[in-house]
Structures are given as structure tokens and as C-alpha cells.
Amino acid sequence: MRLPKKELIKNLKLAYEAPEPEKRDEFCQRFDSQYISMGRFFLTQIPYIRKWSWIISTLIFGIGVFVSVFVKDWAVWVVSAFAPILALTMLIENAKSSSCNMDELECATRFSLKSLLFARMTVLSVFHGIVMAALIPLCVLKSAMPVLTGGLYILLPYFLTVFCGAVLLRKIHRRESMSICIGIPVLISFLMIITRYMCAFLYEQESVKWWALALAVLAAASVREWILYIGRNTVRI
């Protein structure tokens, strides 16, 4: 006689119920459970960030230094066009788990995927902040452009890339996300170059306040999207 669905589910749970663990405490004591501080945990994640992420970031810094010395008039616009590529390293670093189908394996480690993403994103954010803090004064040092204005032109495409990438990573979360992450900064870089010539009014002094407003909104929205993206992953086990 066919059993009701609820009874069948109950019997299946009883049949496949895991037995009570034996000598669990003795087994757990065999492993090192030493406390790791937050700073040390962040440092342990640096070797796991892809080498090309560091290479690209360093290369962009080198390009910025070069143009600020030899092509002073174009320094801000060159770095502004390369800023989305700098943000690309952060996007792909966070997308590599899903693109390689490694989410489940990383969720079974000592630290949750949420903790790993947060640590690696923080490390890259600090490094990118150092790169930007060094390049912005260099690019506007010998130009008539104020430092704050030049910083807006460089930081806005960076945060625009981070925001768009975070939204797509949170919505898609598939292998195609890697190719999309690559396409976003290329499109934004091209957009920055086009608007510089076709929409010159956007770069007039009267428009600076709107750039500042847009940057503030994008920065806040980017932080929100990354919090949602990280929070979507599993909690610490």
C-alpha cells in the first residue's frame, strides 16, 4: 500500500538520520583551534589574491606616474580611463569562486565564503586607495585643475564600475559573470573617453558639484551592493 507523502518523508528522515557522534571532543582536540586576529586573517588572504590583480594594479600606477611626468596635460584623463580597469581586479577576484564552481568547497572551510570575500575585498580596497591617493595629486600637480576636481574625474568611473559590477554579480552569480565583469570596465572606459570630447559641458566648472553628488551616491550605493553581495553567501560554520 502506498504511504502518504508526510509519512514517507518522516520514514526517510529516520532511515537516513546521522548517528550520534562518538568521541567528538577528542577528535576536535586533534586540530589547531588557535584564535586568529582580524588583522592576521586579512594578511593570510593576500597570497590567495591572484598575482595578475597585483600586476594590473601596479601597472596602472606605473602608467599614471609616467603620464603625470611626460604627458601632464593628459594625465587626469588617462588615469580616469584606466580607473575602471583597476576596479576590474576587485570584481573578478570576487567572481572567481562562482565562475569556477568553488562556492560549495569554500563554504566547507574553516572561514566562511563571506569572511573570505570580505577580507580579500578589504585588502584590494586598501591597496586601490593607496594607488588613487598617490596618483591624484601627481596627475593634477602641474595642471590648472584643482586636486578635488581631478579626484572626482578619476574616482567616479572607478566607483561606477564597482557599483555596476556588484549589482551584476549579485543578480547573476553564474559562470557568465566573469565575462560580464570584463565588459563593464571596458564600456565605462570607452564612455569616459567619448564624453570627454562629445559632452564637454560635463567637464565645465559649473558641473563639478554634480560630479561630487554623483560620486557620493555611487560610493554609498557601492557599499550597499557589496554588503548585500557578501551577505548573500553563507555564514561562518
Side-chain angles (χ1 to χ4, degrees):
M1 185 176 67
R2 187 175 181 179
L3 295 176
K5 185 176 180 180
K6 290 184 178 180
E7 187 176 351
L8 179 61
I9 294 175
K10 181 179 179 181
N11 292 337
L12 286 173
K13 287 182 178 180
L14 292 174
Y16 290 96
E17 186 177 4
E20 289 294 328
E22 297 181 0
K23 299 182 179 180
R24 180 178 61 183
D25 295 336
E26 290 82 351
F27 177 78
C28 293
Q29 289 177 359
R30 295 168 54 189
F31 300 94
D32 182 18
S33 59
Q34 185 179 2
Y35 169 76
I36 297 180
S37 64
M38 186 66 70
R40 183 181 176 187
F41 172 59
F42 284 2
L43 291 177
T44 60
Q45 294 306 304
I46 293 178
Y48 296 98
I49 297 175
R50 293 178 177 181
K51 292 182 179 179
W52 69 265
S53 296
W54 302 111
I55 293 174
I56 290 178
S57 300
T58 306
L59 182 62
I60 291 175
F61 176 76
I63 292 173
V65 173
F66 177 83
V67 296
S68 65
V69 174
F70 298 100
V71 198
K72 302 179 180 65
D73 295 338
W74 291 88
V76 172
W77 314 118
V78 171
V79 175
S80 177
F82 276 100
I85 309 301
L86 184 65
L88 172 65
T89 60
M90 181 183 296
L91 296 179
I92 294 185
E93 189 63 35
N94 285 278
K96 68 181 181 181
S97 295
S98 58
S99 63
C100 299
N101 295 322
M102 296 292 290
D103 303 63
E104 184 176 355
L105 179 60
E106 291 194 353
C107 286
T109 59
R110 176 181 179 183
F111 299 100
S112 69
L113 183 56
K114 177 197 294 188
S115 302
L116 298 177
L117 289 176
F118 177 73
R120 294 171 190 176
M121 187 182 69
T122 301
V123 171
L124 283 175
S125 298
V126 171
F127 185 70
H128 289 176
I130 295 173
V131 170
M132 291 294 189
L135 285 182
I136 291 173
L138 282 175
C139 292
V140 300
L141 185 61
K142 294 185 178 180
S143 65
M145 186 182 301
V147 175
L148 292 179
T149 303
L152 290 174
Y153 294 154
I154 293 174
L155 291 176
L156 192 138
Y158 176 87
F159 277 101
L160 180 59
T161 305
V162 171
F163 171 72
C164 295
V167 171
L168 289 175
L169 286 178
R170 186 167 64 87
K171 297 291 185 181
I172 299 177
H173 196 57
R174 297 179 185 275
R175 180 165 295 186
E176 293 82 5
S177 60
M178 188 70 75
S179 58
I180 294 176
C181 285
I182 296 175
I184 290 174
V186 173
L187 179 62
I188 293 177
S189 294
F190 181 75
L191 182 64
M192 294 301 298
I193 296 173
I194 293 298
T195 55
R196 178 70 182 91
Y197 292 97
M198 300 185 64
C199 304
F201 66 93
L202 293 175
Y203 297 88
E204 295 177 357
Q205 190 63 32
E206 292 78 9
S207 301
V208 173
K209 58 183 178 182
W210 299 113
W211 282 78
L213 178 61
L215 178 61
V217 172
L218 279 175
S222 300
V223 172
R224 178 182 179 275
E225 284 299 323
W226 280 116
I227 291 175
L228 293 174
Y229 173 72
I230 294 176
R232 183 196 61 187
N233 295 283
T234 57
V235 297
R236 180 171 178 169
I237 57 175

